[in-house]
Amino acid sequence: MHLTPRATQRIVFGALTAAMVLVIIPLIFVIGYIVVQGAGAISWEFLSGMPRNGMREGGILPAIVGTLFLTLGTAIFSVPIGIGGGIYLAEYAADTPLTRAIRLSIINLAGVPSVVYGLFGLGLFVLFLQFGTSILAGSLTLGILTLPVIISTSEEAIRSVPQSFRVVNAAVGGTKWQGIRRIVLPQALPGIITGVILGLERAAGETAPILFTVAAFFLPRLPHSIFDQTMALPYHLFVISTQVPSMPVQIQYGTALVLIVFVLSMNLTATLIRRHYRRRRQW
Amino acid sequence: METPAKIELQHVHFAYEDHEVLHDINLRIPPNQIFVLFGPAGSGKSTLLRLLNRLTDFSPEETHLQGKVLLDGQDIFAPDVDVTRLRQRAGMVFAKPVPLPLSIRDNITYGLTLGGRRDRSTLDETVERSLHAAALWDEVKDRLDDPGMALSGGQQQRLCLARTLALQPEVVLLDEPTSGLDPISTLQVEEALFQLRESVTFIVVPHSVQQAARVADRAAFLLMGELVEEGPADVLFTRPKDKRTEDYVTGRFG
Ligand SMILES: Nc1ncnc2c1ncn2[C@@H]1O[C@H](COP(=O)(O)OP(=O)(O)O)[C@@H](O)[C@H]1O
Ligand SMILES: [Mg+2]
């Protein structure tokens, strides 16, 4: 059979569109279902109150605050180190067996199941360093989980800045670091921010890494310090879906809805930031 | 007595890995005039130019240099040389204009602020002086805060010249600075060089023999890494001593 290029193009476009629809339709169904089932649960009391009656009534404030703190803590640990690592790999690391090993480790780390991070965090932070089951231990564990994403997206964003800017910087007497700080990083920033947010978004939704390191089953108060345990949205969702008998379905879906809105709004922020900078970028 | 050379090359051999591209170059470039370095593609003109402010340090390959490159009698490859200072004294304009992703004003002051200059009035003066010198002031004076990349190709190249001139360099190296420009922009850039040659040593790789003859005070003909002939422009372009130079300038090859 012989096809004209135009016909080939039609067929390929059609196949790609179908694939995209196949991906998007379940997503819309899932989100739509959660919204329909959970919207009724959303109220001021639900968002700002403590859980009551074995979590079957009241609100989920401790879980919301816990997830916020954990996300923030994750950012504090993983963002500076991750961006620093990206800069090092993109600008300074020579191609040696050592740096190749580092790169390989980062790629492999990104593929490690999150429960393994949880066990690692339990061993290192909770037990060995004696941070206990705490926000500190949980944030560090999530931080390690997030690092590979931030490092590789930062490295990629930095590499994509044209080499000619670095040469011009040198040609007018700039040091390597001056060029990085004043030209390369500002240009790489949208890519870096996107990577950071995507990494944190993943951390915010994870259950396994916080299971042994920070998450409390039922703790109807706000944390007092970084050495406190806390409830967190993903784990809370797991608990009320599987561990509590005669749990009102609406509360389950309401909690899921809050978690999804939290994660999607981070995603949206990343998209908006990227769009904002794309429009200003000139190369 | 001979005037001291601004730049002098003594028995310079230069190689990328084991591929030698400059063979035993000896050259004296006098100060404050336009010195043209011409020859067919691949002769090593860009390499020689980049050697003069050590942009060759940036080459991804291993490079090997023998011989001496002197600026005002000082070896620029000596271990105690401040490379940053060297690159400010000997600025470079590239074939393809590369404005930094900054405003017109910040493009010009970039090099100065790297050295820690913050004083607004000095910076503003520098912007105006450099843009005048590069024959760009009238076209951009009302939009100094626009991105440098929003300018046309010819304007971008003059912006890059202005950025180099802002550092008040003693030497300016230009590698086919007008190769991407229309004839009018080309003349504007050449005119800017003429205006400044009393106080700056220009070393220009032209994009054509015609341009070489148009702008040169002195010139050197480079062929396959060999310096064939060097001398005053009127001699080189009208009565060259070497047959190969004659063949090249009369267009018999190249
Ligand atoms: N970065 C580099 N690495 C390896 N070889 C190079 C590099 N730059 C130039 N060369 C080689 O050096 C020779 C001279 O190149 P170049 O200096 O660019 O000449 P021209 O500017 O006269 O065209 C050519 O053979 C070119 O392939
Ligand atoms: Mg060249």
Side-chain angles (χ1 to χ4, degrees):
Chain A
M1 188 175 72
H2 184 79
L3 288 176
T4 65
R6 187 180 290 271
T8 315
Q9 163 150 322
R10 280 249 180 85
I11 292 170
V12 172
F13 271 13
L16 291 175
T17 310
M20 195 187 68
V21 169
L22 275 179
V23 171
I24 286 179
I25 283 182
L27 187 71
I28 290 176
F29 264 111
V30 169
I31 293 181
Y33 192 70
I34 290 175
V35 171
V36 168
Q37 296 281 320
I42 306 296
S43 68
W44 180 242
E45 211 230 317
F46 185 69
L47 296 176
S48 69
M50 297 296 163
R52 281 181 287 111
N53 186 20
M55 301 182 260
R56 290 181 195 88
E57 287 172 35
I60 55 165
L61 182 67
I64 295 177
V65 170
T67 287
L68 278 175
F69 280 4
L70 283 174
T71 309
L72 192 69
T74 306
I76 289 171
F77 294 123
S78 60
V79 171
I81 299 178
I83 296 178
I87 295 174
Y88 171 76
L89 286 178
E91 297 281 347
Y92 291 99
D95 188 25
T96 64
L98 176 68
T99 57
R100 254 172 281 156
I102 293 178
R103 254 178 250 277
L104 196 63
S105 312
I106 292 171
I107 294 169
N108 282 320
L109 271 180
V112 169
S114 56
V115 68
V116 176
Y117 284 94
L119 287 171
F120 177 78
L122 173 68
L124 181 63
F125 302 124
V126 177
L127 301 175
F128 183 73
L129 295 175
Q130 303 195 341
F131 295 153
T133 314
S134 62
I135 293 183
L136 180 62
S139 301
L140 285 166
T141 307
L142 289 172
I144 293 181
L145 171 105
T146 313
L147 264 183
V149 181
I150 300 188
I151 294 178
S152 22
T153 46
S154 304
E155 182 187 353
E156 202 48 50
I158 290 168
R159 277 189 194 284
S160 71
V161 177
Q163 183 63 19
S164 54
F165 293 159
R166 297 176 181 83
V167 176
V168 167
N169 168 70
V172 294
T175 62
K176 188 175 175 94
W177 174 244
Q178 283 174 321
I180 292 173
R181 193 170 54 79
R182 299 194 34 181
I183 305 292
V184 176
L185 281 185
Q187 294 297 306
L189 202 59
I192 294 176
I193 291 176
T194 309
V196 164
I197 294 183
L198 291 179
L200 292 180
E201 183 184 304
R202 171 163 179 220
E206 281 288 353
T207 309
I210 59 174
L211 192 58
F212 322 118
T213 56
V214 51
F217 184 83
F218 178 63
L219 188 66
R221 62 170 172 82
L222 300 185
H224 299 310
S225 82
I226 56 169
F227 294 104
D228 243 2
Q229 292 189 36
T230 181
M231 295 175 77
L233 283 171
Y235 182 58
H236 182 63
L237 185 57
F238 167 74
V239 165
I240 60 177
S241 314
T242 61
Q243 313 286 305
V244 184
S246 63
M247 186 73 206
V249 171
Q250 209 181 39
I251 291 198
Q252 295 171 350
Y253 280 101
T255 306
L257 182 57
V258 171
L259 180 57
I260 282 196
V261 167
F262 184 79
V263 170
L264 284 187
S265 56
M266 285 173 78
N267 205 317
L268 186 70
T269 314
T271 310
L272 289 179
I273 291 175
R274 206 174 29 211
R275 251 214 353 221
H276 175 75
Y277 282 98
R278 270 283 152 68
R279 217 175 286 145
R280 292 202 338 207
R281 183 158 83 190
Q282 300 134 14
W283 41 272
Chain B
M1 201 194 114
E2 229 179 341
T3 50
K6 187 70 190 172
I7 289 177
E8 185 168 354
L9 283 79
Q10 299 175 343
H11 298 289
V12 167
H13 294 256
F14 185 86
Y16 296 103
E17 307 217 291
D18 49 11
H19 172 46
E20 186 171 294
V21 299
L22 295 175
H23 316 301
D24 198 32
I25 306 285
N26 290 286
L27 187 60
R28 291 168 52 86
I29 299 178
N32 302 339
Q33 44 173 275
I34 300 178
F35 190 93
V36 160
L37 196 61
F38 69 106
S43 293
K45 308 179 296 289
S46 300
T47 302
L48 201 162
L49 216 56
R50 296 166 84 91
L51 208 52
L52 302 183
N53 72 351
R54 290 186 53 172
L55 279 180
T56 43
D57 295 0
F58 269 80
S59 145
E61 300 86 356
E62 212 178 305
T63 60
H64 306 280
L65 171 72
Q66 281 172 41
K68 280 215 163 71
V69 182
L70 310 176
L71 174 63
D72 284 337
Q74 305 285 315
D75 183 352
I76 64 167
F77 284 91
D80 60 339
V81 165
D82 177 353
V83 183
T84 297
R85 181 75 199 107
L86 167 69
R87 295 202 178 120
Q88 290 172 344
R89 291 178 63 193
M92 171 85 101
V93 176
F94 303 92
K96 183 173 165 288
V98 181
L100 293 170
L102 302 169
S103 69
I104 294 174
R105 183 199 312 278
D106 292 348
N107 257 284
I108 294 171
T109 57
Y110 182 75
L112 287 174
T113 57
L114 288 176
R117 294 277 194 81
R118 289 283 177 275
D119 167 37
R120 185 67 197 222
S121 66
T122 319
L123 293 180
D124 282 346
E125 269 170 42
T126 305
V127 170
E128 183 166 350
R129 173 182 60 73
S130 317
L131 284 172
H132 270 301
L136 188 58
W137 174 253
D138 292 329
E139 289 159 64
V140 302
K141 62 173 186 280
D142 300 320
R143 47 175 179 141
L144 294 175
D145 294 312
D146 284 6
M149 291 183 184
L151 297 174
S152 74
Q155 290 171 327
Q156 286 188 6
Q157 192 56 299
R158 280 175 286 148
L159 177 66
C160 294
L161 180 60
R163 180 175 63 204
T164 304
L165 295 174
L167 294 164
Q168 302 198 284
E170 301 153 39
V171 178
V172 175
L173 312 166
L174 301 105
D175 193 353
E176 307 191 22
T178 58
S179 58
L181 304 190
D182 59 273
I184 293 178
S185 304
T186 299
L187 284 181
Q188 282 166 326
V189 171
E190 289 175 5
E191 191 54 40
L193 303 190
F194 290 137
Q195 297 292 328
L196 294 165
R197 69 172 145 185
E198 305 288 287
S199 54
V200 181
T201 307
F202 288 107
I203 305 177
V204 183
V205 173
H207 75 259
S208 66
V209 177
Q210 289 82 343
Q211 183 177 44
R214 215 159 46 227
V215 301
D217 293 314
R218 287 182 78 85
F221 177 55
L222 203 60
L223 181 63
M224 305 316 287
E226 188 194 337
L227 189 77
V228 174
E229 186 170 354
E230 186 272 337
D234 47 359
V235 177
L236 220 77
F237 294 110
T238 55
R239 310 167 255 119
K241 296 194 195 73
D242 195 291
K243 180 79 169 66
R244 290 169 293 175
T245 316
E246 187 182 336
D247 287 350
Y248 187 71
V249 299
T250 55
R252 237 163 281 169
F253 79 99

